[in-house]
Amino acid sequence: MRITTTVNNERHEVDDVWEGESLLYMLRERMGLPGSKNACEQGECGSCTVYLDGVAACACLIAAGQAEGRDIVTVEGLAEGDDLHPVQQAFLDAGAVQCGFCTPGLIVATHDLLARDPRPEDSQIRESLAGNLCRCTGYEKIIDAVKLAAGRMASTSAGGGA
Amino acid sequence: MTVTEDRPAAEIGQARRRKEDQRLITGRTKWTDNLTLPGMLHLAMVRSPVAHGTITSIDVEEAKASPGVIAVITGRDIADEQGSLPCAWPITEDQLAPPHPSIAVDTVNFAGEIVACIVARTAAQAKDAVELVDVEYDDLPVVLDMAAAAEGGDLTHPDLGTNVSATWVFDSAEAGTGTNVEDAIQAGEIIIERTYRQQRLIPAFMEPRSIVVDPTGEQTTMWSATQIPHILKLMLALTCGISESKLRVIAPDVGGGFGGKLQVTPEEVITLVVSRRLGRPCKYTETRSESILAAHHGRDQIQHLTLSANRDGTVTGLKVELLADMGAYLGLVTPGVPILGAFMYNSIYKFPAYRFVCKNIFTNKAWTDAYRGAGRPEATFAIERIMDELAAEVGVDPMEIRERNWIKPEEFPFSTVAGMEYDTGNYEAATDKAKQLFGYDELRAEQQRRRESGDPVQLGIGVSTFTEMCGLAPSRVLGALSYAAGGWEHATVRMLPSGKVEVLTGTSPHGQGHETAWSQIVADRLGVPFDDVEVLHGDTQIAARGLDSYGSRSLVVGGMAVVAAADKVIEKAKPIAAHLLEADVDDLEFEAGKFGVRGTDASIGIGELAFAVFSAHNMPEGVEPSLDAEATYDPVNFSFPHGTHLCAVEVDTETGEAKIRDYTCVDDVGKVINPLIVEGQVHGGLVQGIAQALFEEALYDDSGTLVTGSFVDYLVPSAADMPHFTTDRTESPSTTNALGVKGVGEAGTIASTPAVVNAIVDALRHLGINDIEMPCTPHRVWSAIQSRSSGEETPAQSQNVADSGLPSHNVTVSEGPADGGDGADPNVGRADSTSTGSETNGGAA
């Protein structure tokens, strides 16, 4: 089947999509967007987290067909050109990346968290990211990164409003 | 020796942001599974659901007719090409090992073993056809209990005639490193015997293993999500009978390993053999369930310890009798994993007598092999647990018992009873700092208050003082331990004409940040900007020599190879600089990237020199026009990081929930190249160790089926499960390498598990509980509390040692907590003996 969808603000038409195919497979294998990772294909690890119509979700659990007419944002769509998104920059600055396989999913999940709650407490950060497994970092510096990003984004928006 | 050693280190010690991260946070990475080659076919594996059986027939016809399927390959089809998967560590001359075909030919020995391989045009077509292969098995008896298997009975491999692969012994009296442990036990005023179980764990790296093979060129190229591209290349050549020079192995970005990707896997051999046979590129990427089922597991040991001490708590001897579950086969270093622990049971202490006996046992489970720490977490857990038991017996604080036994700062270098030479350390300094940060005395006071008030939520304080051996390893030591390879590492430093520097390293990072740390080292050494250094790795055609990354060796060994290569560059550059500056070599000094002539303003920068050498217009007579240099570094000793970890746990005695309230650790990893990376390594290590204490366990049912086959059942902790960590450092630089580094990859994992379990037991000791088996789930903790409060006797108390398959001991007091009727947890609250010497030794004395 043919799927027409918007990914990272670009309209795409994808042919030969199989009915049993996941959105994750379509993104990675048919659209050249391998940032979202397949680490469990069971919705347990969050490595494939993307936005579907503004809602963060595991792309491995969404059928490709469900993307028809919808708006998808992946980790590749967060940076503007070479300018990293503040969440990405914070992960880099805080040392929140080790092997980096889970990182794109965590960055999308953090992006989503800060959109809903610009200044989360530690416990809220931990709960909100509980669906994203990381085996390397022990989460400590990821929490630092979320707080760093929150601080920077708050000061940017405050500065912009002044 | 170069002048740079005296130069202030500008880069080393800085929290440089990692060079690797830009690509990782934007999704522009090169993972093996991202790779697509023209005409590439996809593999899927048919795996045995049976744990032990004879293959009576395999019908592949329906699968072959399935859409897109190109071929279905059985073990018999490639019996001549697949060889037997290698074990590089025969720990004894008479070690027994079964053949290990990548695709089973006649028998299957664990559930998950590959029995056929589908080759299809798409991954989905290959997976669909898996269901269509019809394999018939004749069931054989399934061997699952290592303790029973050690005693005989049903055999995992009937052809071997025993389930015992090897028995390995270290005895301090025989080795001349100490006295006789049996004498110490005879004379001991206090004897404590304990049995601890290291549950089976799963490395659970986030990136599933993936392999792409391209056989279409003159060479065959394999991309693999591996920790060991160099070892893999050699082993594939030997296993499959392919010329080593016709193979190239690339480990691109690799998503974690933790020992789990330190392996030569069946899937790698199969993808290689099938791809070469079909003459087409092939890809195999495992599912998470396959990874959990059939990538090698870790730990799985039963440890029986007998510790003798004087009444004041001075330890006089330690005897360790170990059973280690190999699973069905011996992987690359499987038999050596428990042996790595043999040198660490004495830990930071001055034990005069020590004996270690290890039996490696086959069972019908996935094979075990290295998992973060490999041998050392097991040893550290056991000794730190039993030191707490000694403290309780003597009636002093757990910290006090450690202080009475540990090596004092002025006693370094120290030759241990296990034959190691500890170069440096300061256990007092790390402990003092940790206690202060933790608020040790205040927490003890709070604990006392809660006990007295009968608070249903009890507070426990867990202590773990540890050391480990890192920097695997001096080649001569590995030779003495019968390991097949050496422990050196290789590096090349190339000076490019533009003054930029390329570093080729034989280490193979998979999350550790070598590109960043090695750049810092070279920037300091050569006096060039950090950003001018490019670190290349993970490709046997680019960094041709190396022994890869594991055992906290990369910095200690690989970093030193980089230092040695950079120093050679400087040595090569000197006569050329002297020639260009028209000066005597002896008048040159190298500082901050420049060769200067002493007492003059004349100088030339190393970048400038690189271009002069490139153009080669004006070289001194007989000097080659190249500054490039390579070095192979073989360490002279292991390195011995250490630290003090303190954990405060609140245990709800009504629900059994154990919650970590505070975790503080002070690690001494020697000199730190990049504190950001070191902190991250410690944090990640802590979580893996804590996960063993509280959450993770690979469980098989009675038929040998793995029941923890997904992340739903195998509990890798999330951010919500983990506390905040307070980490700090002391610094006793290693004296056996010029960087003064000790390694940090495994420290957190090694130290944290006993800190947590000691805390839980500490919270409940006043209730008569002296052990909770890992993982300390709420159910296990609750059951232990219930059985103590009801005073019921359970079968666990009479089982104990006799049923563990270990030699029997004089067990006079059975006072462990009881099982609480949980059939799934036969070892909860295992009965152990604690008694004073004359009683325990009874007739023997």
Side-chain angles (χ1 to χ4, degrees), chain B residues 571-581 604 608-628:
Chain B
E571 287 308 309
K572 282 183 83 172
K574 257 187 192 167
I576 305 167
H579 175 74
L580 294 175
L581 293 168
I604 184 168
E608 214 181 327
L609 199 65
F611 193 84
V613 170
F614 164 73
S615 56
H617 296 163
N618 182 14
M619 295 288 293
E621 196 67 30
V623 174
E624 66 165 350
S626 167
L627 294 180
D628 300 351

PDB file of all heavy atoms in Angstrom, chain B residues 571-581 604 608-628:
ATOM      1  N   GLU B 571      60.302  11.289  19.372  1.00  0.00           N
ATOM      2  CA  GLU B 571      61.679  10.826  19.188  1.00  0.00           C
ATOM      3  C   GLU B 571      62.083  10.856  17.717  1.00  0.00           C
ATOM      4  O   GLU B 571      63.207  11.225  17.367  1.00  0.00           O
ATOM      5  CB  GLU B 571      61.850   9.410  19.762  1.00  0.00           C
ATOM      6  CG  GLU B 571      61.856   9.354  21.282  1.00  0.00           C
ATOM      7  CD  GLU B 571      62.863  10.321  21.907  1.00  0.00           C
ATOM      8  OE1 GLU B 571      64.044  10.307  21.501  1.00  0.00           O
ATOM      9  OE2 GLU B 571      62.454  11.116  22.777  1.00  0.00           O
ATOM     10  N   LYS B 572      61.149  10.467  16.832  1.00  0.00           N
ATOM     11  CA  LYS B 572      61.445  10.494  15.392  1.00  0.00           C
ATOM     12  C   LYS B 572      61.617  11.928  14.898  1.00  0.00           C
ATOM     13  O   LYS B 572      62.384  12.202  13.974  1.00  0.00           O
ATOM     14  CB  LYS B 572      60.312   9.815  14.604  1.00  0.00           C
ATOM     15  CG  LYS B 572      60.352   8.307  14.629  1.00  0.00           C
ATOM     16  CD  LYS B 572      59.253   7.697  13.780  1.00  0.00           C
ATOM     17  CE  LYS B 572      59.632   7.611  12.296  1.00  0.00           C
ATOM     18  NZ  LYS B 572      58.635   6.844  11.518  1.00  0.00           N
ATOM     19  N   ALA B 573      60.836  12.827  15.492  1.00  0.00           N
ATOM     20  CA  ALA B 573      60.846  14.216  15.020  1.00  0.00           C
ATOM     21  C   ALA B 573      62.118  14.960  15.437  1.00  0.00           C
ATOM     22  O   ALA B 573      62.557  15.892  14.760  1.00  0.00           O
ATOM     23  CB  ALA B 573      59.618  14.947  15.573  1.00  0.00           C
ATOM     24  N   LYS B 574      62.711  14.500  16.531  1.00  0.00           N
ATOM     25  CA  LYS B 574      63.834  15.249  17.116  1.00  0.00           C
ATOM     26  C   LYS B 574      64.998  15.495  16.151  1.00  0.00           C
ATOM     27  O   LYS B 574      65.415  16.647  15.956  1.00  0.00           O
ATOM     28  CB  LYS B 574      64.348  14.522  18.362  1.00  0.00           C
ATOM     29  CG  LYS B 574      63.891  15.185  19.646  1.00  0.00           C
ATOM     30  CD  LYS B 574      64.564  14.529  20.839  1.00  0.00           C
ATOM     31  CE  LYS B 574      63.875  15.002  22.111  1.00  0.00           C
ATOM     32  NZ  LYS B 574      64.273  14.180  23.250  1.00  0.00           N
ATOM     33  N   PRO B 575      65.563  14.448  15.529  1.00  0.00           N
ATOM     34  CA  PRO B 575      66.714  14.699  14.640  1.00  0.00           C
ATOM     35  C   PRO B 575      66.338  15.571  13.448  1.00  0.00           C
ATOM     36  O   PRO B 575      67.178  16.350  12.944  1.00  0.00           O
ATOM     37  CB  PRO B 575      67.133  13.292  14.193  1.00  0.00           C
ATOM     38  CG  PRO B 575      66.040  12.376  14.574  1.00  0.00           C
ATOM     39  CD  PRO B 575      65.267  13.026  15.680  1.00  0.00           C
ATOM     40  N   ILE B 576      65.075  15.478  13.018  1.00  0.00           N
ATOM     41  CA  ILE B 576      64.648  16.290  11.876  1.00  0.00           C
ATOM     42  C   ILE B 576      64.531  17.754  12.303  1.00  0.00           C
ATOM     43  O   ILE B 576      64.984  18.666  11.603  1.00  0.00           O
ATOM     44  CB  ILE B 576      63.302  15.766  11.314  1.00  0.00           C
ATOM     45  CG1 ILE B 576      63.430  14.275  10.980  1.00  0.00           C
ATOM     46  CG2 ILE B 576      62.883  16.560  10.083  1.00  0.00           C
ATOM     47  CD1 ILE B 576      62.111  13.567  10.707  1.00  0.00           C
ATOM     48  N   ALA B 577      63.965  17.950  13.485  1.00  0.00           N
ATOM     49  CA  ALA B 577      63.863  19.312  14.006  1.00  0.00           C
ATOM     50  C   ALA B 577      65.249  19.912  14.202  1.00  0.00           C
ATOM     51  O   ALA B 577      65.501  21.078  13.855  1.00  0.00           O
ATOM     52  CB  ALA B 577      63.093  19.302  15.326  1.00  0.00           C
ATOM     53  N   ALA B 578      66.149  19.111  14.738  1.00  0.00           N
ATOM     54  CA  ALA B 578      67.515  19.587  14.962  1.00  0.00           C
ATOM     55  C   ALA B 578      68.156  19.985  13.633  1.00  0.00           C
ATOM     56  O   ALA B 578      68.817  21.029  13.528  1.00  0.00           O
ATOM     57  CB  ALA B 578      68.338  18.496  15.645  1.00  0.00           C
ATOM     58  N   HIS B 579      67.931  19.158  12.629  1.00  0.00           N
ATOM     59  CA  HIS B 579      68.490  19.424  11.301  1.00  0.00           C
ATOM     60  C   HIS B 579      67.946  20.749  10.746  1.00  0.00           C
ATOM     61  O   HIS B 579      68.706  21.601  10.268  1.00  0.00           O
ATOM     62  CB  HIS B 579      68.118  18.257  10.380  1.00  0.00           C
ATOM     63  CG  HIS B 579      68.525  18.431   8.958  1.00  0.00           C
ATOM     64  ND1 HIS B 579      69.840  18.324   8.531  1.00  0.00           N
ATOM     65  CD2 HIS B 579      67.792  18.718   7.848  1.00  0.00           C
ATOM     66  CE1 HIS B 579      69.898  18.522   7.225  1.00  0.00           C
ATOM     67  NE2 HIS B 579      68.663  18.762   6.786  1.00  0.00           N
ATOM     68  N   LEU B 580      66.624  20.933  10.852  1.00  0.00           N
ATOM     69  CA  LEU B 580      66.010  22.146  10.296  1.00  0.00           C
ATOM     70  C   LEU B 580      66.397  23.389  11.091  1.00  0.00           C
ATOM     71  O   LEU B 580      66.482  24.478  10.554  1.00  0.00           O
ATOM     72  CB  LEU B 580      64.483  21.995  10.254  1.00  0.00           C
ATOM     73  CG  LEU B 580      63.968  20.919   9.284  1.00  0.00           C
ATOM     74  CD1 LEU B 580      62.456  20.758   9.398  1.00  0.00           C
ATOM     75  CD2 LEU B 580      64.349  21.261   7.829  1.00  0.00           C
ATOM     76  N   LEU B 581      66.596  23.208  12.393  1.00  0.00           N
ATOM     77  CA  LEU B 581      66.970  24.349  13.247  1.00  0.00           C
ATOM     78  C   LEU B 581      68.484  24.530  13.306  1.00  0.00           C
ATOM     79  O   LEU B 581      68.973  25.431  13.993  1.00  0.00           O
ATOM     80  CB  LEU B 581      66.422  24.127  14.670  1.00  0.00           C
ATOM     81  CG  LEU B 581      64.896  24.149  14.815  1.00  0.00           C
ATOM     82  CD1 LEU B 581      64.478  23.623  16.187  1.00  0.00           C
ATOM     83  CD2 LEU B 581      64.334  25.544  14.599  1.00  0.00           C
ATOM     84  N   ILE B 604      60.528  25.163  16.187  1.00  0.00           N
ATOM     85  CA  ILE B 604      59.651  24.724  15.102  1.00  0.00           C
ATOM     86  C   ILE B 604      58.523  23.881  15.714  1.00  0.00           C
ATOM     87  O   ILE B 604      58.757  23.030  16.573  1.00  0.00           O
ATOM     88  CB  ILE B 604      60.451  23.933  14.027  1.00  0.00           C
ATOM     89  CG1 ILE B 604      59.523  23.564  12.848  1.00  0.00           C
ATOM     90  CG2 ILE B 604      61.119  22.693  14.592  1.00  0.00           C
ATOM     91  CD1 ILE B 604      60.287  23.053  11.622  1.00  0.00           C
ATOM     92  N   GLU B 608      54.299  22.153  11.830  1.00  0.00           N
ATOM     93  CA  GLU B 608      55.184  22.675  10.797  1.00  0.00           C
ATOM     94  C   GLU B 608      56.179  21.589  10.362  1.00  0.00           C
ATOM     95  O   GLU B 608      56.467  21.395   9.177  1.00  0.00           O
ATOM     96  CB  GLU B 608      55.948  23.848  11.420  1.00  0.00           C
ATOM     97  CG  GLU B 608      56.292  25.001  10.524  1.00  0.00           C
ATOM     98  CD  GLU B 608      57.069  26.051  11.334  1.00  0.00           C
ATOM     99  OE1 GLU B 608      56.800  26.203  12.558  1.00  0.00           O
ATOM    100  OE2 GLU B 608      57.948  26.668  10.756  1.00  0.00           O
ATOM    101  N   LEU B 609      56.657  20.907  11.342  1.00  0.00           N
ATOM    102  CA  LEU B 609      57.608  19.832  11.090  1.00  0.00           C
ATOM    103  C   LEU B 609      56.954  18.721  10.255  1.00  0.00           C
ATOM    104  O   LEU B 609      57.578  18.142   9.358  1.00  0.00           O
ATOM    105  CB  LEU B 609      58.084  19.267  12.428  1.00  0.00           C
ATOM    106  CG  LEU B 609      59.372  18.468  12.441  1.00  0.00           C
ATOM    107  CD1 LEU B 609      60.558  19.354  12.065  1.00  0.00           C
ATOM    108  CD2 LEU B 609      59.599  17.883  13.829  1.00  0.00           C
ATOM    109  N   ALA B 610      55.680  18.464  10.555  1.00  0.00           N
ATOM    110  CA  ALA B 610      54.966  17.424   9.815  1.00  0.00           C
ATOM    111  C   ALA B 610      54.911  17.764   8.328  1.00  0.00           C
ATOM    112  O   ALA B 610      55.065  16.897   7.471  1.00  0.00           O
ATOM    113  CB  ALA B 610      53.555  17.256  10.383  1.00  0.00           C
ATOM    114  N   PHE B 611      54.699  19.045   8.010  1.00  0.00           N
ATOM    115  CA  PHE B 611      54.653  19.419   6.593  1.00  0.00           C
ATOM    116  C   PHE B 611      56.030  19.331   5.969  1.00  0.00           C
ATOM    117  O   PHE B 611      56.192  18.877   4.832  1.00  0.00           O
ATOM    118  CB  PHE B 611      54.070  20.824   6.399  1.00  0.00           C
ATOM    119  CG  PHE B 611      53.728  21.085   4.955  1.00  0.00           C
ATOM    120  CD1 PHE B 611      52.511  20.671   4.433  1.00  0.00           C
ATOM    121  CD2 PHE B 611      54.643  21.691   4.101  1.00  0.00           C
ATOM    122  CE1 PHE B 611      52.209  20.862   3.089  1.00  0.00           C
ATOM    123  CE2 PHE B 611      54.350  21.887   2.747  1.00  0.00           C
ATOM    124  CZ  PHE B 611      53.121  21.462   2.249  1.00  0.00           C
ATOM    125  N   ALA B 612      57.050  19.719   6.732  1.00  0.00           N
ATOM    126  CA  ALA B 612      58.425  19.633   6.226  1.00  0.00           C
ATOM    127  C   ALA B 612      58.795  18.178   5.937  1.00  0.00           C
ATOM    128  O   ALA B 612      59.469  17.881   4.946  1.00  0.00           O
ATOM    129  CB  ALA B 612      59.385  20.245   7.240  1.00  0.00           C
ATOM    130  N   VAL B 613      58.330  17.279   6.765  1.00  0.00           N
ATOM    131  CA  VAL B 613      58.613  15.856   6.557  1.00  0.00           C
ATOM    132  C   VAL B 613      57.808  15.329   5.369  1.00  0.00           C
ATOM    133  O   VAL B 613      58.285  14.517   4.576  1.00  0.00           O
ATOM    134  CB  VAL B 613      58.301  15.057   7.842  1.00  0.00           C
ATOM    135  CG1 VAL B 613      58.352  13.563   7.582  1.00  0.00           C
ATOM    136  CG2 VAL B 613      59.286  15.428   8.944  1.00  0.00           C
ATOM    137  N   PHE B 614      56.582  15.836   5.214  1.00  0.00           N
ATOM    138  CA  PHE B 614      55.744  15.436   4.085  1.00  0.00           C
ATOM    139  C   PHE B 614      56.400  15.843   2.765  1.00  0.00           C
ATOM    140  O   PHE B 614      56.511  15.061   1.821  1.00  0.00           O
ATOM    141  CB  PHE B 614      54.362  16.083   4.229  1.00  0.00           C
ATOM    142  CG  PHE B 614      53.534  16.065   2.978  1.00  0.00           C
ATOM    143  CD1 PHE B 614      52.955  14.880   2.528  1.00  0.00           C
ATOM    144  CD2 PHE B 614      53.314  17.233   2.254  1.00  0.00           C
ATOM    145  CE1 PHE B 614      52.180  14.872   1.367  1.00  0.00           C
ATOM    146  CE2 PHE B 614      52.551  17.224   1.108  1.00  0.00           C
ATOM    147  CZ  PHE B 614      51.980  16.040   0.662  1.00  0.00           C
ATOM    148  N   SER B 615      56.859  17.082   2.693  1.00  0.00           N
ATOM    149  CA  SER B 615      57.500  17.537   1.458  1.00  0.00           C
ATOM    150  C   SER B 615      58.886  16.896   1.310  1.00  0.00           C
ATOM    151  O   SER B 615      59.343  16.651   0.192  1.00  0.00           O
ATOM    152  CB  SER B 615      57.596  19.061   1.427  1.00  0.00           C
ATOM    153  OG  SER B 615      58.273  19.532   2.565  1.00  0.00           O
ATOM    154  N   ALA B 616      59.526  16.623   2.433  1.00  0.00           N
ATOM    155  CA  ALA B 616      60.781  15.859   2.446  1.00  0.00           C
ATOM    156  C   ALA B 616      61.885  16.481   1.609  1.00  0.00           C
ATOM    157  O   ALA B 616      62.752  15.781   1.093  1.00  0.00           O
ATOM    158  CB  ALA B 616      60.521  14.406   2.014  1.00  0.00           C
ATOM    159  N   HIS B 617      61.831  17.788   1.462  1.00  0.00           N
ATOM    160  CA  HIS B 617      62.847  18.456   0.643  1.00  0.00           C
ATOM    161  C   HIS B 617      64.186  18.553   1.359  1.00  0.00           C
ATOM    162  O   HIS B 617      65.227  18.638   0.732  1.00  0.00           O
ATOM    163  CB  HIS B 617      62.373  19.876   0.292  1.00  0.00           C
ATOM    164  CG  HIS B 617      61.150  19.879  -0.568  1.00  0.00           C
ATOM    165  ND1 HIS B 617      60.343  20.988  -0.745  1.00  0.00           N
ATOM    166  CD2 HIS B 617      60.564  18.896  -1.305  1.00  0.00           C
ATOM    167  CE1 HIS B 617      59.336  20.690  -1.538  1.00  0.00           C
ATOM    168  NE2 HIS B 617      59.442  19.430  -1.894  1.00  0.00           N
ATOM    169  N   ASN B 618      64.135  18.590   2.666  1.00  0.00           N
ATOM    170  CA  ASN B 618      65.354  18.875   3.410  1.00  0.00           C
ATOM    171  C   ASN B 618      65.426  17.979   4.647  1.00  0.00           C
ATOM    172  O   ASN B 618      65.182  18.420   5.766  1.00  0.00           O
ATOM    173  CB  ASN B 618      65.351  20.365   3.797  1.00  0.00           C
ATOM    174  CG  ASN B 618      66.628  20.753   4.528  1.00  0.00           C
ATOM    175  OD1 ASN B 618      67.612  20.013   4.532  1.00  0.00           O
ATOM    176  ND2 ASN B 618      66.604  21.917   5.159  1.00  0.00           N
ATOM    177  N   MET B 619      65.714  16.706   4.394  1.00  0.00           N
ATOM    178  CA  MET B 619      65.793  15.746   5.493  1.00  0.00           C
ATOM    179  C   MET B 619      67.250  15.481   5.853  1.00  0.00           C
ATOM    180  O   MET B 619      68.124  15.529   4.986  1.00  0.00           O
ATOM    181  CB  MET B 619      65.149  14.417   5.070  1.00  0.00           C
ATOM    182  CG  MET B 619      63.659  14.491   4.806  1.00  0.00           C
ATOM    183  SD  MET B 619      62.692  14.696   6.315  1.00  0.00           S
ATOM    184  CE  MET B 619      62.980  13.119   7.105  1.00  0.00           C
ATOM    185  N   PRO B 620      67.505  15.183   7.110  1.00  0.00           N
ATOM    186  CA  PRO B 620      68.879  14.795   7.447  1.00  0.00           C
ATOM    187  C   PRO B 620      69.234  13.474   6.764  1.00  0.00           C
ATOM    188  O   PRO B 620      68.355  12.667   6.448  1.00  0.00           O
ATOM    189  CB  PRO B 620      68.837  14.647   8.968  1.00  0.00           C
ATOM    190  CG  PRO B 620      67.412  14.603   9.357  1.00  0.00           C
ATOM    191  CD  PRO B 620      66.613  15.212   8.267  1.00  0.00           C
ATOM    192  N   GLU B 621      70.494  13.276   6.559  1.00  0.00           N
ATOM    193  CA  GLU B 621      71.004  12.081   5.890  1.00  0.00           C
ATOM    194  C   GLU B 621      70.522  10.807   6.592  1.00  0.00           C
ATOM    195  O   GLU B 621      70.631  10.689   7.812  1.00  0.00           O
ATOM    196  CB  GLU B 621      72.544  12.143   5.910  1.00  0.00           C
ATOM    197  CG  GLU B 621      73.232  11.200   4.951  1.00  0.00           C
ATOM    198  CD  GLU B 621      72.990  11.551   3.487  1.00  0.00           C
ATOM    199  OE1 GLU B 621      72.798  12.742   3.174  1.00  0.00           O
ATOM    200  OE2 GLU B 621      72.974  10.620   2.662  1.00  0.00           O
ATOM    201  N   GLY B 622      69.946   9.883   5.826  1.00  0.00           N
ATOM    202  CA  GLY B 622      69.604   8.571   6.378  1.00  0.00           C
ATOM    203  C   GLY B 622      68.362   8.537   7.247  1.00  0.00           C
ATOM    204  O   GLY B 622      68.109   7.533   7.905  1.00  0.00           O
ATOM    205  N   VAL B 623      67.598   9.619   7.267  1.00  0.00           N
ATOM    206  CA  VAL B 623      66.373   9.633   8.091  1.00  0.00           C
ATOM    207  C   VAL B 623      65.158   9.533   7.179  1.00  0.00           C
ATOM    208  O   VAL B 623      65.041  10.270   6.205  1.00  0.00           O
ATOM    209  CB  VAL B 623      66.295  10.916   8.946  1.00  0.00           C
ATOM    210  CG1 VAL B 623      64.963  11.003   9.679  1.00  0.00           C
ATOM    211  CG2 VAL B 623      67.441  10.957   9.936  1.00  0.00           C
ATOM    212  N   GLU B 624      64.253   8.619   7.502  1.00  0.00           N
ATOM    213  CA  GLU B 624      63.081   8.425   6.646  1.00  0.00           C
ATOM    214  C   GLU B 624      62.124   9.607   6.769  1.00  0.00           C
ATOM    215  O   GLU B 624      61.984  10.183   7.853  1.00  0.00           O
ATOM    216  CB  GLU B 624      62.349   7.123   6.997  1.00  0.00           C
ATOM    217  CG  GLU B 624      61.719   7.108   8.384  1.00  0.00           C
ATOM    218  CD  GLU B 624      60.716   5.977   8.579  1.00  0.00           C
ATOM    219  OE1 GLU B 624      60.366   5.309   7.606  1.00  0.00           O
ATOM    220  OE2 GLU B 624      60.265   5.796   9.730  1.00  0.00           O
ATOM    221  N   PRO B 625      61.479   9.975   5.650  1.00  0.00           N
ATOM    222  CA  PRO B 625      60.557  11.112   5.701  1.00  0.00           C
ATOM    223  C   PRO B 625      59.191  10.708   6.260  1.00  0.00           C
ATOM    224  O   PRO B 625      58.198  10.657   5.538  1.00  0.00           O
ATOM    225  CB  PRO B 625      60.467  11.560   4.245  1.00  0.00           C
ATOM    226  CG  PRO B 625      60.752  10.341   3.446  1.00  0.00           C
ATOM    227  CD  PRO B 625      61.649   9.467   4.274  1.00  0.00           C
ATOM    228  N   SER B 626      59.142  10.402   7.541  1.00  0.00           N
ATOM    229  CA  SER B 626      57.870  10.058   8.200  1.00  0.00           C
ATOM    230  C   SER B 626      58.006  10.281   9.699  1.00  0.00           C
ATOM    231  O   SER B 626      59.035   9.948  10.285  1.00  0.00           O
ATOM    232  CB  SER B 626      57.509   8.589   7.942  1.00  0.00           C
ATOM    233  OG  SER B 626      56.468   8.192   8.814  1.00  0.00           O
ATOM    234  N   LEU B 627      56.957  10.857  10.261  1.00  0.00           N
ATOM    235  CA  LEU B 627      56.925  10.995  11.720  1.00  0.00           C
ATOM    236  C   LEU B 627      56.027   9.943  12.356  1.00  0.00           C
ATOM    237  O   LEU B 627      55.908   9.857  13.576  1.00  0.00           O
ATOM    238  CB  LEU B 627      56.406  12.389  12.112  1.00  0.00           C
ATOM    239  CG  LEU B 627      57.273  13.587  11.748  1.00  0.00           C
ATOM    240  CD1 LEU B 627      56.602  14.878  12.210  1.00  0.00           C
ATOM    241  CD2 LEU B 627      58.657  13.460  12.372  1.00  0.00           C
ATOM    242  N   ASP B 628      55.346   9.183  11.509  1.00  0.00           N
ATOM    243  CA  ASP B 628      54.373   8.228  12.032  1.00  0.00           C
ATOM    244  C   ASP B 628      55.067   7.156  12.872  1.00  0.00           C
ATOM    245  O   ASP B 628      56.178   6.740  12.560  1.00  0.00           O
ATOM    246  CB  ASP B 628      53.620   7.539  10.889  1.00  0.00           C
ATOM    247  CG  ASP B 628      52.869   8.543  10.029  1.00  0.00           C
ATOM    248  OD1 ASP B 628      52.812   9.731  10.427  1.00  0.00           O
ATOM    249  OD2 ASP B 628      52.356   8.151   8.969  1.00  0.00           O
TER     250      ASP B 628
END
